[in-house]
Amino acid sequence: MKIISIGILLLIHLAIGFLVAFLLIVAAIFLYLSYKKRLFRKRERLKKKIYLLIEKALFYEPPSLQKTENNAWMKIPFKFQALLKKKLPRAVLRTEILQVQKNISGASRDNLQKLYEQLGLKQDALKKLNRFRQWYIKAEGIQELSIMNQRDCLRSIYRYVNDKNEYIRMEAQSAAINFLGFHGLRFLNIISYPLSEWQQLKLLEQLSHKPVLGFKGITAWLQSPNDSVITFALKLVRVYRCFELHDTVAKCMEHSNVEVKKSCIITLTDIYTEDTAPLLIWHYATEDTDCRLATLHALCQIRDPETISFLTEQLQDENNDLKLAAAKAIMATAGSDGINVLNAYTEAQSHPWHEIIQQLKAEAAV
Amino acid sequence: MSWQSILIHLVSYGILVYSITIISSYIFIGIYSVGETMKYMHKNRFADYRLLAISSEAPSFSIIAPAYNEGLTIVDNVRSLLSVYYNELELIIINDGSKDDSMKKLITAYDLKKVPFFINQQIPTKNVLGIYKSRNPVFHRLVVVDKENGGKADALNAGLNVAKHDLVVCIDVDCILEQDALMKMAKPFLENPKVNMIGVGGVVRIANSCLIEKGRLVKVNLAKEFLPRVQTLEYIRAFLLGRMAWSRLNGLLLISGAFGAFNRKIAIACGGYNTRTVGEDMELIVRMRRYMEEKKVSYRISYIPDPLCWTEAPSDYKILGRQRNRWTRGTIETLMIHKGLFFNRRYHLLGLLSYPYWFFFEFMAPLIEFLGFITIIILAILGLLNWNYFITLLIFIISFGLLYSAFAILMEVITYNQYKRKRDILKLLLTALMEPFIFQPFVVWSAVKGNIDLLRKKHGWGEMTRKGFKL
């Protein structure tokens, strides 16, 4: 009975604890909702005020002889000076400047950059980079400096291109491209961490807005010990059609990583020469199914008539995906004669070749 | 001490120990999920999803949506799924031998014609009667597979056979997807170069009472009826707390059948969906994990907390009962099929934590709850019940349930805040108060019936009539 009494007492205490915690959470929910609502309204009011300052900066033309207080670029009205010493208005200003900066160009963009510097927001961003330990604050600082085109901060940012935190290094790598364009890719020489597919997409998108200046390190990247650097370099080769690198790319066919090989086959398809098809066929026998499939898709693009006998052989493969891909490649390579080539195949009337041929026939008709 | 007394002590302390263990696990899940959700929110600030819309290097998706007797809403459902924003996408609708006019309606609405199509039957399925594509180039993404009825798993397998892309999204045809849902689902597959991402789950939310126009969710409203509302709370708890914590541990055993993305090759390599269970969604995940463990390849299954998919929840007890009955049978069947995982060190976290957790706290919990209830009634009738102890234990369990629900609501408010009005939050809290007295006993009873039905070898899905959205 004594044990039961102790048990009951313990349960009562725990239940009271849970109920108190429940009430505290309920209070926290409603306080948070009110706070969020108040904050939203406050931000909206501040946005309206701050936008006046941004608007002024966007169209500002400094008088050539007149000097402003402390050699400042633009005179900031007193009401704003006082307001921008506070944390929230400063945060709202920063958000708005970053938002506007993404959507403008030319002189207005330079003006906004000057306003950003004059108000000390650049120092704030550098503080995020140097004084905080949380990865998302550091990454935010880098992103901000990159958007605001603070090129003189490149040295501070560049040391993070191989940071152990993926988000910090991703932002630092993006900033390097933003500041230096294709030259910024030199970080590929030193990174030891893999580039995620996501980051590769991001970098390619950023590069698409930069003038193409040639790839100085691409041969080295194609031989990098970091496999993700090789796949990224292969993407660069195919996006920018670097035909002169065909032979260097072809060497990647010897690579042990299947993903690299697959990417190599896809790249060779985009920069193919008369040597490409024989090279792919040479490697075919030793490849796994994925690479074989990629090879057949490549031959479908290359359309080399010399490959037809090889492709016809592949119709006998056990794997139906490979049969279908080979048949598609025959159709593409043999042109209007494709159906006749397929129909001439000894098994053309039996399953599954018959169905494959019917599908391709219908697709050709469309 | 008499034998009755020993028995009473055993039952009382057994229930207490079990309750404390399950509560401790929930406390861990609640706290552990916060880190994962917050990390995701921080990560999201750096993600520009437009990349996936413009890049030719972005991965391609095949959406697979099985439909059975959905003639009432099928045309609008397909239109809704076709409007999802993604560049490289095919939408495969599987008409699983519907007895109604679903196929006829699809043919007319989308100007479909039967096309010769070679199906690489990597997973055996019931006979496919035909593949249909639209003559109208506007609907070039649409593929309709007409097949003999074989159940949801069989229809999904047919979709896996027909799909041309490496990533597949399996979805209930009547779900409403957010416009950017696929872009958000694609990101985890691209993020980690060191591990194979084999599946990604997205959060499913309750769409009852929400405003839906032309197949798109226009306004989120909290469900007006009690049952959908209590399920809203249940889904918030399950997705924002449970799934996120398990995702962080990389121990997820379930991606909802209503909305999940998979690596097609792995799904096919391990045999596709199991047609002999009604819990095909959970069974596939367990099998995929098992396959990867046996191959000794590093892998991950992830969950993203964004509300991406909206579905109609059962609003009457009959349909809800059938659904929970089926979920219970699905869980037990999956646990039975993979019983070799139980505390098996060879399967690491899967064998040592995920499987035992599901066994003890998902499968056993309703049974223990039910047996406890029966025991209490018997003891009360025999005059042996210690009322003080019983009432205290009840208050202890209910108060924790309330706390856990309130914490889930707090997380929802801090993160996605779908229900912005204070009145709605208050309603959710009141629902949490009512849940242990109305909803929970019903769910427990349905689970018990699920166990009984399984013993009686009932394998059907049970009819799942939906009211349908006003699209």
Side-chain angles (χ1 to χ4, degrees):
Chain A
M1 279 315 280
K2 199 180 171 187
I3 302 172
I4 287 192
S5 306
I6 295 169
I8 290 174
L9 206 64
L10 180 70
L11 288 182
I12 289 172
H13 279 106
L14 284 171
I16 290 170
F18 290 155
L19 286 171
V20 170
F22 167 74
L23 291 173
L24 286 174
I25 287 179
V26 171
I29 290 170
F30 287 103
L31 284 174
Y32 183 78
L33 280 173
S34 303
Y35 164 75
K36 218 169 158 181
K37 201 171 178 181
R38 271 206 317 276
L39 189 69
F40 175 76
R41 284 184 186 153
K42 214 171 172 181
R43 284 186 89 101
E44 289 303 302
R45 278 201 303 273
L46 281 168
K47 260 193 209 172
K48 277 183 195 162
K49 276 188 198 169
I50 279 166
Y51 203 75
L52 294 174
L53 182 65
I54 293 177
E55 211 169 47
K56 189 181 167 192
L58 286 175
F59 306 107
Y60 184 68
E61 283 180 28
S64 52
L65 295 173
Q66 193 186 327
K67 279 204 166 181
T68 53
E69 212 178 306
N70 302 328
N71 282 336
W73 168 70
M74 185 180 88
K75 194 178 174 198
I76 308 289
F78 180 73
K79 62 171 183 177
F80 280 113
Q81 285 183 28
L83 185 71
L84 293 173
K85 279 179 186 154
K86 292 177 191 162
K87 208 174 164 185
L88 181 65
R90 220 172 159 74
V92 175
L93 174 72
R94 188 180 55 245
T95 313
E96 290 307 300
I97 287 182
L98 290 172
Q99 204 55 46
V100 176
Q101 181 81 351
K102 282 180 196 165
N103 302 315
I104 56 168
S105 58
S108 304
R109 196 176 161 90
D110 295 340
N111 282 358
L112 207 56
Q113 202 175 310
K114 283 176 187 154
L115 177 70
Y116 176 81
E117 288 163 13
Q118 186 179 333
L119 292 172
L121 294 173
K122 178 181 174 179
Q123 271 63 43
D124 291 355
L126 281 168
K127 265 186 217 164
K128 285 183 186 172
L129 201 60
N130 300 321
R131 291 198 195 160
F132 287 87
R133 288 179 62 193
Q134 293 97 322
W135 65 267
Y136 51 90
I137 299 182
K138 272 185 189 289
E140 197 179 71
I142 297 171
Q143 191 183 54
E144 194 177 316
L145 292 167
S146 171
I147 294 170
M148 295 314 297
N149 207 24
Q150 300 298 308
R151 284 164 188 263
D152 57 327
C153 300
L154 179 62
R155 188 182 283 267
S156 309
I157 292 172
Y158 201 79
R159 64 194 164 107
Y160 292 108
V161 292
N162 197 30
D163 193 89
K164 65 175 185 221
N165 181 285
E166 59 175 311
Y167 290 89
I168 294 177
R169 69 171 182 267
M170 271 164 63
E171 287 307 320
Q173 290 163 2
S174 296
I177 302 287
N178 204 22
F179 293 150
L180 304 172
F182 282 83
H183 293 303
L185 287 172
R186 64 173 191 241
F187 68 79
L188 294 173
N189 297 323
I190 55 161
I191 55 168
S192 51
Y193 292 100
L195 281 175
S196 67
E197 286 288 320
W198 178 262
Q199 176 67 348
Q200 293 185 30
L201 289 184
K202 191 176 171 189
L203 296 177
L204 285 175
E205 198 276 331
Q206 274 185 285
L207 287 168
S208 69
H209 302 292
K210 304 285 177 191
V212 185
L213 297 169
F215 303 96
K216 284 192 176 160
I218 202 152
T219 311
W221 302 333
L222 286 169
Q223 291 154 14
S224 170
N226 184 336
D227 290 356
S228 66
V229 170
I230 303 179
T231 50
F232 182 63
L234 288 167
K235 280 182 189 144
L236 286 172
V237 171
R238 62 176 179 260
V239 171
Y240 293 95
R241 295 285 196 271
C242 305
F243 294 99
E244 72 281 7
L245 291 168
H246 180 276
D247 293 347
T248 320
V249 170
K251 284 181 189 155
C252 294
M253 288 298 292
E254 311 284 343
H255 205 280
S256 56
N257 184 326
V258 177
E259 289 307 313
V260 172
K261 269 197 212 174
K262 234 164 76 180
S263 189
C264 175
I265 296 166
I266 298 168
T267 307
L268 285 171
T269 316
D270 285 341
I271 56 163
Y272 70 88
T273 66
E274 58 191 19
D275 299 330
T276 311
L279 175 85
L280 294 175
I281 291 171
W282 169 259
H283 282 277
Y284 190 84
T286 54
E287 305 293 8
D288 73 346
T289 307
D290 280 354
C291 287
R292 285 184 176 192
L293 211 50
T295 300
L296 293 174
H297 289 317
L299 295 177
C300 185
Q301 301 289 316
I302 294 170
R303 301 179 187 196
D304 181 350
E306 302 288 313
T307 61
I308 291 208
S309 60
F310 166 78
L311 291 170
T312 312
E313 278 172 35
Q314 304 322 308
L315 290 174
Q316 293 164 19
D317 199 289
E318 279 180 8
N319 185 313
N320 285 336
D321 283 334
L322 293 177
K323 280 190 197 101
L324 180 63
K328 278 186 177 172
I330 290 171
M331 285 292 285
T333 309
S336 55
D337 204 29
I339 285 293
N340 294 334
V341 175
L342 290 174
N343 279 332
Y345 179 62
T346 46
E347 309 265 9
Q349 293 311 312
S350 50
H351 175 81
W353 296 277
H354 177 70
E355 287 81 0
I356 290 175
I357 294 168
Q358 290 310 307
Q359 177 186 333
L360 296 180
K361 215 189 238 179
E363 281 175 5
V366 174
Chain B
M1 209 182 242
S2 67
W3 69 269
Q4 291 102 325
S5 174
I6 293 171
L7 191 69
I8 291 166
H9 275 79
L10 269 178
V11 171
S12 308
Y13 285 107
I15 291 174
L16 180 65
V17 168
Y18 185 79
S19 305
I20 288 175
T21 317
I22 203 166
I23 283 172
S24 306
S25 75
Y26 278 125
I27 291 173
F28 172 76
I29 282 173
I31 294 169
Y32 201 63
S33 67
V34 176
E36 184 72 352
T37 307
M38 288 306 160
K39 188 180 173 195
Y40 181 81
M41 304 289 281
H42 287 310
K43 270 164 55 176
N44 232 5
R45 279 156 56 190
F46 301 100
D48 182 0
Y49 290 101
R50 286 175 306 168
L51 281 177
L52 294 171
I54 51 178
S55 175
S56 58
E57 301 283 336
S60 312
F61 273 109
S62 297
I63 297 182
I64 303 173
Y68 178 69
N69 289 349
E70 304 270 359
L72 209 62
T73 55
I74 188 81
V75 173
D76 292 325
N77 292 146
V78 171
R79 188 173 296 130
S80 168
L81 291 174
L82 280 171
S83 69
V84 170
Y85 192 55
Y86 200 82
N87 206 12
E88 275 298 310
L89 175 70
E90 73 171 340
L91 170 63
I92 303 170
I93 303 293
I94 319 286
N95 177 42
D96 189 31
S98 295
K99 289 174 192 150
D100 65 1
D101 56 353
S102 298
M103 202 57 217
K104 206 172 154 190
K105 279 186 170 168
L106 283 172
I107 290 171
T108 313
Y110 295 103
D111 193 13
L112 301 177
K113 69 165 184 177
K114 195 172 179 178
V115 292
F117 194 93
F118 166 65
I119 300 170
N120 188 5
Q121 194 97 12
Q122 295 179 81
I123 312 167
T125 64
K126 286 278 169 73
N127 195 21
V128 172
L129 304 171
I131 303 282
Y132 291 77
K133 288 189 179 180
S134 178
R135 290 187 188 92
N136 186 342
V138 173
F139 305 121
H140 69 279
R141 290 168 155 190
L142 179 63
V143 177
V144 176
V145 179
D146 187 24
K147 67 180 277 290
E148 287 172 4
N149 181 259
K152 189 179 175 185
D154 192 66
L156 287 165
N157 285 338
L160 286 172
N161 285 335
V162 169
K164 66 176 178 188
H165 299 309
D166 285 342
L167 295 180
V168 291
V169 170
C170 297
I171 184 173
D172 286 349
V173 75
D174 55 353
C175 280
I176 307 270
L177 285 187
E178 293 280 345
Q179 291 295 292
D180 57 353
L182 292 192
M183 293 197 268
K184 288 189 170 161
M185 293 290 269
K187 190 168 175 260
F189 286 103
L190 303 171
E191 272 183 324
N192 200 333
K194 285 183 184 163
V195 291
N196 290 293
M197 186 62 75
I198 59 169
V200 175
V203 166
V204 179
R205 289 287 181 101
I206 304 294
N208 301 50
S209 304
C210 290
L211 185 62
I212 290 154
E213 280 175 9
K214 293 179 183 164
R216 290 185 187 181
L217 184 86
V218 179
K219 191 168 181 259
V220 177
N221 291 320
L222 183 66
K224 290 188 180 98
E225 295 167 280
F226 173 75
L227 270 188
R229 197 164 61 240
V230 75
Q231 289 171 85
T232 301
L233 180 63
E234 193 189 22
Y235 277 42
I236 291 174
R237 271 197 317 251
F239 286 103
L240 269 185
L241 304 184
R243 303 269 165 97
M244 290 313 289
W246 282 107
S247 174
R248 189 176 175 185
L249 280 167
N250 193 19
L252 278 163
L253 280 201
L254 175 63
I255 285 181
S256 167
F259 183 49
F262 304 96
N263 180 319
R264 176 174 165 263
K265 274 184 199 151
I266 307 282
I268 288 176
C270 60
Y273 285 94
N274 186 336
T275 51
R276 282 165 299 174
T277 169
V278 286
E280 75 294 327
D281 45 2
M282 179 179 173
E283 203 282 330
L284 178 69
I285 297 296
V286 178
R287 198 144 31 84
M288 284 171 84
R289 294 191 78 109
R290 195 173 177 168
Y291 174 83
M292 298 303 276
E293 292 282 350
E294 284 165 3
K295 292 264 169 197
K296 295 190 185 346
V297 181
S298 66
Y299 69 96
R300 210 181 148 75
I301 294 178
S302 200
Y303 238 93
I304 50 176
D306 297 275
L308 299 177
C309 174
W310 295 80
T311 189
E312 186 193 352
S315 53
D316 71 66
Y317 283 98
K318 202 168 147 191
I319 306 290
L320 178 71
R322 282 180 197 154
Q323 184 197 54
R324 298 309 159 112
N325 178 316
R326 179 167 53 79
W327 286 5
T328 303
R329 283 183 286 135
T331 302
I332 304 169
E333 282 169 348
T334 304
L335 293 175
M336 299 260 282
I337 292 167
H338 298 281
K339 54 184 179 291
L341 298 175
F342 195 54
F343 284 119
N344 189 335
R345 275 194 304 178
R346 195 180 150 210
Y347 295 98
H348 306 107
L349 193 88
L350 172 65
L352 297 176
L353 190 66
S354 302
Y355 187 103
Y357 177 89
W358 272 79
F359 183 85
F360 289 115
F361 299 141
E362 297 287 345
F363 158 57
M364 296 280 283
L367 293 181
I368 289 177
E369 216 172 308
F370 183 72
L371 286 176
F373 184 70
I374 298 289
T375 313
I376 284 159
I377 291 174
I378 294 170
L379 290 178
I381 291 168
L382 297 174
L384 295 171
L385 186 66
N386 182 335
W387 283 98
N388 282 344
Y389 178 76
F390 164 65
I391 290 170
T392 315
L393 185 64
L394 198 65
I395 292 171
F396 167 71
I397 294 168
I398 289 174
S399 60
F400 178 75
L402 278 178
L403 173 63
Y404 195 64
S405 294
F407 183 67
I409 296 169
L410 177 68
M411 283 304 291
E412 156 68 12
V413 167
I414 290 174
T415 53
Y416 295 99
N417 201 18
Q418 295 290 315
Y419 309 104
K420 293 189 170 55
R421 293 181 304 180
K422 282 184 186 166
R423 204 174 1 145
D424 286 344
I425 300 297
L426 196 64
K427 274 187 194 169
L428 271 178
L429 286 164
L430 287 173
T431 308
L433 280 169
M434 291 155 74
E435 186 187 4
F437 305 103
I438 305 170
F439 184 73
Q440 185 63 16
F442 180 76
V443 168
V444 168
W445 175 236
S446 304
V448 171
K449 279 190 3 191
N451 277 272
I452 297 166
D453 285 353
L454 194 77
L455 289 173
R456 291 162 66 189
K457 300 198 189 309
K458 275 193 185 175
H459 294 296
W461 264 58
E463 204 176 319
M464 294 296 296
T465 317
R466 292 182 197 260
K467 286 182 180 173
F469 300 122
K470 286 174 189 162
L471 294 163

